[in-house]
Amino acid sequence: MSNLPGPEFWALVHPYTGDVARAERPSRAFDSDVTAMVESDEGRFFIKAMHNRPGGRRESLMREKAINPFVRPISPPLLWDTEDDAWVILGFDLVEGRHADFSPASGDLPRVVGLLDRIGDLVLPEVAREWAEDRWDWLTTSDEEVELLRGDSLIYGDIHPANFLLGERDAWAVDWSWPTRGAGFIDPATLVTQLIGAGHSPQDAEGWVDGCRGWADADPRGIDTFAAVSVRLWRSLAERNPEEQWIKAMTTAAQSWADHRGIAVD
């Protein structure tokens, strides 16, 4: 259990896990202070934990706890949670799956889009009504653009290959750290950018989502707005992280999508 917390942490989870025989970090670093796959007397768990401090990171874990009952079985079930003055910890069922492949030759794409459709069909739960999707507002240029991103759909908001786990029969969207209420095209549009970044042409990327309800029902002006704010977001990230090649690639992908849609982004 190297590079993992000390005895106080494991004492806190012991009532739920019993003795832990094995714990290891996942291959991908999640946006948590601790993530671990655990084998224990009480079963196999995926643990996410944050230092118990006020602010956005704790809030993201609280949202994930609150939304979990409404996103099963798309997301692995939350089996237990606990906290003390030092830690907030969630214990999920540990599912067996691999990260999705978004590349053009991938056979995973029908399953990825099917999972996206299932997310889009979820009913917005009451707990999410106050979670307005406002993360893009600072990248818009008018109140009209802000309104085009509003809506009453449950937005997953964290679409990339590592968050889509594919098992032999089942598939899951994991890491519901910041669900929101917004326009139904936001998740499909996010997938479009990701697909372009993985090597698809903008036209082919849009073709993969054109059957998604949130996309099919969308005001095209809303999708255009999202394409524009995506360019501005990735440009901003690239300016702050000039050494990150994957951010440069996503900036290029967002720009190529905007170009495809005939949008000039200043």
Side-chain angles (χ1 to χ4, degrees):
M1 287 189 262
S2 61
N3 299 319
L4 288 169
E8 297 84 0
F9 180 93
W10 299 106
L12 186 58
V13 305
H14 189 271
Y16 308 96
T17 64
D19 291 341
V20 173
R22 186 167 179 255
E24 63 179 77
R25 289 188 178 276
S27 57
R28 176 183 174 269
F30 290 77
D31 295 329
S32 300
D33 294 317
V34 175
T35 53
M37 299 176 291
V38 169
E39 296 180 7
S40 69
D41 288 347
E42 296 299 325
R44 304 171 72 244
F45 306 101
F46 184 83
I47 289 177
K48 293 182 66 174
M50 297 283 195
H51 292 296
N52 197 354
R53 300 167 184 154
R57 289 170 64 80
R58 186 186 192 282
E59 174 63 21
S60 73
L61 217 60
M62 293 298 96
R63 282 203 186 189
E64 188 162 7
K65 173 185 173 181
I67 203 64
N68 185 262
F70 305 100
V71 298
R72 304 177 187 178
I74 295 172
S75 176
L78 176 66
L79 302 179
W80 49 265
D81 65 278
T82 186
E83 67 177 282
D84 64 6
D85 290 341
W87 292 101
V88 180
I89 308 172
L90 305 182
F92 295 89
D93 185 24
L94 180 60
V95 298
E96 295 288 347
R98 59 176 175 80
H99 301 319
D101 179 358
F102 282 9
S103 67
S106 171
D108 293 347
L109 297 178
R111 298 181 72 188
V112 168
V113 174
L115 194 54
L116 194 67
D117 281 337
R118 293 169 64 195
I119 294 172
D121 287 340
L122 292 171
V123 176
L124 181 75
E126 193 63 33
V127 69
R129 290 208 164 267
E130 300 303 316
W131 301 342
E133 178 52 85
D134 58 8
R135 287 171 291 189
W136 306 91
D137 290 5
W138 67 284
L139 298 160
T140 60
T141 61
S142 67
D143 291 341
E144 179 185 9
E145 287 188 349
V146 170
E147 287 304 310
L148 286 167
L149 300 178
R150 298 292 190 261
D152 286 321
S153 294
L154 178 64
I155 306 303
Y156 173 39
D158 200 8
I159 293 175
H160 53 78
N163 275 352
F164 283 71
L165 294 184
L166 306 181
E168 290 187 8
R169 295 183 179 180
D170 297 319
W172 304 271
V174 301
D175 200 15
W176 285 75
S177 297
W178 213 257
T180 56
R181 176 175 62 87
F185 61 78
I186 289 177
D187 279 339
T190 304
L191 179 61
V192 167
T193 312
Q194 288 286 328
L195 292 179
I196 297 170
H200 296 255
S201 70
Q203 182 176 356
D204 288 346
E206 288 190 347
W208 276 107
V209 304
D210 64 6
C212 295
R213 184 181 306 168
W215 179 276
D217 294 344
D219 183 334
R221 296 176 303 158
I223 297 175
D224 288 347
T225 294
F226 191 85
V229 299
S230 295
V231 172
R232 296 185 188 109
L233 173 66
W234 289 108
R235 281 178 182 172
S236 175
L237 291 173
E239 289 172 1
R240 296 200 302 268
N241 303 277
E243 73 289 348
E244 295 288 352
Q245 294 303 311
W246 71 272
I247 294 179
K248 289 182 180 179
M250 289 303 300
T251 305
T252 300
Q255 184 64 60
S256 68
W257 184 32
D259 292 343
H260 170 72
R261 297 189 67 86
I263 303 165
V265 183
D266 53 20

